[in-house]
Structures are given as C-alpha cells and as structure tokens.
Amino acid sequence: MIRLRRTSRLEAYLDVYDVAAETGVHPEFIRRLVRLGLLDPVEAREDERLLFEVSAVPLVRKIIRLRRDLGLNYAGIGVVLELMERIESLEAKIRELEGDLFE
C-alpha cells in the first residue's frame, strides 16, 4: 500500500523510503537514480528526505526492468527513457492531428 505524504501545498507525495518499498529496492538505489539524473524529486527537504510524485513508482519499475531484462547501463537507460518519452509525445501529437482532421 502506498502511503502518501502531504506537503504544505496539500499535494500527495511519496518519500524515498515509500518509493523504495513500493519497488522492492533499497532507498540508496533511489538516491543513486536521483544522482544519475534518471529520477527527479519534486522536493528535497533540509533533512535530506526526497519527495516524489506517485508516478515515480512505475518509472523506477521501468528502470529496474530495463537494467535487469536488457542489461542496459544507466546511461543507456537514460537514452531509452528519453526516446520513449519522445515517442509518447509524438503519438499524442498524431492523435491530436487525427482528431482535428476528422472533426
């Protein structure tokens, strides 16, 4: 079960320990992904507790699969994630243009 933290802006976030627990990894692995630029925290508090959006959980799971199943190094994972994001963006644009075409 995902426990959500509330910030002063009343938005739900997960801390590094929650993301680690949900993905079955050690919190230090999550911190490593942040240092490598593969995972962006929403906020880093003074006590060094990182806060993440709930969408970080599926992203970490995707990173784990890319590393485990394809044997990619972290630089390769970054390239694949960026390409996947660009593909999703292009597919969304195609759907938008198709919608405009058939209206």
Side-chain angles (χ1 to χ4, degrees):
M1 172 184 251
I2 297 177
R3 295 180 317 264
L4 300 177
R5 307 259 186 249
R6 300 266 176 204
T7 66
S8 58
R9 288 175 256 139
L10 299 177
E11 297 177 47
Y13 296 120
L14 301 172
D15 71 13
V16 67
Y17 300 101
D18 294 328
V19 175
E22 286 296 317
T23 57
V25 298
H26 194 276
E28 188 54 39
F29 179 75
I30 303 300
R31 289 184 187 97
R32 175 188 287 169
L33 295 179
V34 171
R35 285 191 304 270
L36 292 169
L38 295 174
L39 185 63
D40 294 323
V42 173
E43 185 177 327
R45 298 209 170 161
E46 296 83 33
D47 60 0
E48 297 184 19
R49 291 191 68 164
L50 303 171
L51 295 178
F52 299 92
E53 292 181 358
V54 176
S55 62
V57 172
L59 177 58
V60 171
R61 288 180 178 148
K62 188 181 293 186
I63 291 168
I64 292 167
R65 282 193 313 274
L66 289 169
R67 184 137 172 89
R68 181 191 63 221
D69 297 346
L70 299 179
L72 296 177
N73 63 21
Y74 294 115
I77 290 171
V79 170
V80 168
L81 291 175
E82 183 166 331
L83 289 173
M84 290 173 76
E85 185 177 311
R86 291 179 71 187
I87 289 169
E88 289 171 11
S89 173
L90 290 170
E91 287 175 339
K93 185 66 174 173
I94 288 170
R95 284 190 298 276
E96 177 186 325
L97 292 172
E98 285 176 340
D100 291 345
L101 184 64
F102 296 112
E103 286 183 354

